Amino acid sequence: MMQKKIRMYGMLSAFLYCGMASAQQQQQQHTVEMIPFGNMDQWVDRQIKESGIIGGALKNVYAIGPTATIRENKAYKNMGGSPWATSNVMARVAGITKTNTSVFPEKRDEGYCARMDTRMESVKVLGIVDITVLAAGSMFLGEVHEPIKGTKNPQKMLNSGIPFTKKPIAVQFDYKVKMSDREKRIRATGFSRITDVDGKDFPEVNLFLQKRWEDKDGNIFAKRIGTMVVRYYNTTDDWRNNVTYSIMYGDITGDPAYKPHMMRLQVEERYAINSKGESVPVKEVAWGTEEDVPTHLLLQFTSSHGGAYIGSPGNSLWIDNVKLVY
């Protein structure tokens, strides 16, 4: 009887050891790669002087890229191989130079993180409030076409996504959230009255892998290969570190995790530069298969989920250490 118990304990121990070893091997098989400049420790400080008619203030407009200070009013192009763009921009409309900054470097431990704020931005002409716009903080993989020349069709001012052919299984990052206490959102475009929009405002992270192609007329089409979208509904008491979200591949409409309002094809119109140098919409026309290889990666972090000029002032999203898991 005693020998049988000893054998059973021995077999159980061996089983547990093998299980632990297998789990460790599985964990070791995963490779985690930081997206370039994804540690948020390097920032470009663009010091831009706004036009005198709106006050002539010197504004700090931050970009994610190799540490530098730029003291001139010139259009920004991604520097040093940084794939990141933000909602921080310089606009030049009717000869007037104006800036917006809603993404900020913030000290964290020995380095920095990114803080995105949803806020109201007012332009004063000769000391009188003239235009008020709601600006959400956003950072994404891609480029901005500066200078911005108007508020119409803001997505056309962006080149969304970067060339990318890998197939990560997940995205990983550190985050922190502060929610506005408003029950409704605000819509403020600057050229119409400020109105309420039903529904609470939520910070969002979205990642899409696309397989793009272009026709002879310069139109860009895409299949959706990979999908990950998450929204945050509550303020966090502290940082959440190394949070990992799985990427779903292929047609996910039958997956229990599929949420059409966040994940459907063409959920938001994005633009890209075609071979003719034109900014055109990317038309998502079909789901790809799990075997398809992507051509582009889109990844966005934003303090408000409702699109341009819609959100709740007071929302903030902090992000650090953005990685892909393979």
Side-chain angles (χ1 to χ4, degrees), residues 23-36:
Q24 286 173 350
Q25 286 171 356
Q26 198 172 26
Q27 194 172 20
Q28 287 168 359
Q29 286 170 0
H30 289 168
T31 302
V32 180
E33 293 181 2
M34 185 83 70
I35 293 177

Side-chain angles (χ1 to χ4, degrees), residues 26-86:
Q26 198 172 26
Q27 194 172 20
Q28 287 168 359
Q29 286 170 0
H30 289 168
T31 302
V32 180
E33 293 181 2
M34 185 83 70
I35 293 177
F37 297 90
N39 60 10
M40 302 297 149
D41 287 339
Q42 297 187 71
W43 292 79
V44 180
D45 179 8
R46 304 170 63 203
Q47 298 181 3
I48 296 173
K49 187 171 177 59
E50 295 185 332
S51 294
I53 195 171
I54 58 170
L58 187 69
K59 295 293 186 72
N60 299 90
V61 181
Y62 301 104
I64 302 165
T67 303
T69 301
I70 300 174
R71 296 183 177 88
E72 56 181 315
N73 292 13
K74 71 175 185 178
Y76 182 76
K77 299 279 189 186
N78 291 25
M79 294 173 54
S82 173
W84 296 98
T86 75

Side-chain angles (χ1 to χ4, degrees), residues 34 38-43 104-115 172-177 236 238-243 317-323:
M34 185 83 70
N39 60 10
M40 302 297 149
D41 287 339
Q42 297 187 71
W43 292 79
F104 303 86
E106 187 171 289
K107 193 72 179 168
R108 184 189 181 206
D109 299 328
E110 300 304 311
Y112 289 87
C113 64
R115 187 187 86 235
Q172 184 182 96
F173 51 86
D174 308 340
Y175 79 90
K176 186 171 70 166
V177 171
T236 58
D238 204 349
W239 280 91
R240 304 287 190 262
N241 295 324
N242 294 321
V243 178
L317 173 64
W318 288 260
I319 293 292
D320 202 3
N321 298 319
V322 184
K323 307 163 190 169

Side-chain angles (χ1 to χ4, degrees), residues 25-280:
Q25 286 171 356
Q26 198 172 26
Q27 194 172 20
Q28 287 168 359
Q29 286 170 0
H30 289 168
T31 302
V32 180
E33 293 181 2
M34 185 83 70
I35 293 177
F37 297 90
N39 60 10
M40 302 297 149
D41 287 339
Q42 297 187 71
W43 292 79
V44 180
D45 179 8
R46 304 170 63 203
Q47 298 181 3
I48 296 173
K49 187 171 177 59
E50 295 185 332
S51 294
I53 195 171
I54 58 170
L58 187 69
K59 295 293 186 72
N60 299 90
V61 181
Y62 301 104
I64 302 165
T67 303
T69 301
I70 300 174
R71 296 183 177 88
E72 56 181 315
N73 292 13
K74 71 175 185 178
Y76 182 76
K77 299 279 189 186
N78 291 25
M79 294 173 54
S82 173
W84 296 98
T86 75
S87 52
N88 297 348
V89 294
M90 177 183 70
R92 192 170 290 131
V93 182
I96 297 173
T97 298
K98 175 78 180 77
T99 66
N100 170 68
T101 303
S102 47
V103 180
F104 303 86
E106 187 171 289
K107 193 72 179 168
R108 184 189 181 206
D109 299 328
E110 300 304 311
Y112 289 87
C113 64
R115 187 187 86 235
M116 287 154 274
D117 294 339
T118 299
R119 50 198 287 274
M120 302 298 282
E121 180 73 21
S122 294
V123 179
K124 294 184 179 182
V125 180
L126 300 176
I128 302 170
V129 174
D130 189 35
I131 297 173
T132 300
V133 173
L134 185 132
S138 173
M139 63 183 196
F140 63 96
L141 296 178
E143 301 169 319
V144 177
H145 309 306
E146 279 197 345
I148 304 301
K149 296 175 182 175
T151 58
K152 187 179 178 182
N153 197 358
Q155 284 293 338
K156 193 172 183 178
M157 305 167 198
L158 313 179
N159 186 15
S160 294
I162 59 172
F164 189 85
T165 56
K166 296 181 180 180
K167 297 181 76 172
I169 61 170
V171 60
Q172 184 182 96
F173 51 86
D174 308 340
Y175 79 90
K176 186 171 70 166
V177 171
K178 181 173 79 67
M179 297 289 294
S180 167
D181 57 6
R182 288 183 58 92
E183 289 304 315
K184 290 186 176 181
R185 295 169 287 166
I186 289 172
R187 185 175 189 269
T189 66
F191 294 101
S192 58
R193 67 187 182 89
I194 297 172
T195 56
D196 281 343
V197 176
D198 286 339
K200 200 167 173 62
D201 190 24
F202 305 114
E204 178 179 296
V205 181
N206 57 68
L207 181 152
F208 302 117
L209 287 159
Q210 292 179 334
K211 184 177 183 178
R212 294 180 183 174
W213 68 94
E214 182 179 331
D215 69 11
K216 61 181 176 57
D217 298 317
N219 299 304
I220 297 177
F221 301 91
K223 287 183 180 181
R224 173 85 64 78
I225 308 301
T227 306
M228 192 296 296
V229 184
V230 62
R231 289 180 184 168
Y232 298 112
Y233 303 107
N234 298 292
T235 296
T236 58
D237 53 0
D238 204 349
W239 280 91
R240 304 287 190 262
N241 295 324
N242 294 321
V243 178
T244 305
Y245 297 101
S246 295
I247 298 168
M248 297 183 287
Y249 279 89
D251 183 348
I252 60 170
T253 53
D255 193 301
Y258 175 65
K259 298 175 181 176
H261 66 287
M262 294 161 51
M263 301 175 180
R264 69 180 183 275
L265 295 178
Q266 205 76 16
V267 67
E268 182 180 19
E269 190 168 61
R270 310 284 182 105
Y271 278 72
I273 300 298
N274 66 11
S275 61
K276 305 172 189 288
E278 302 164 332
S279 180
V280 298

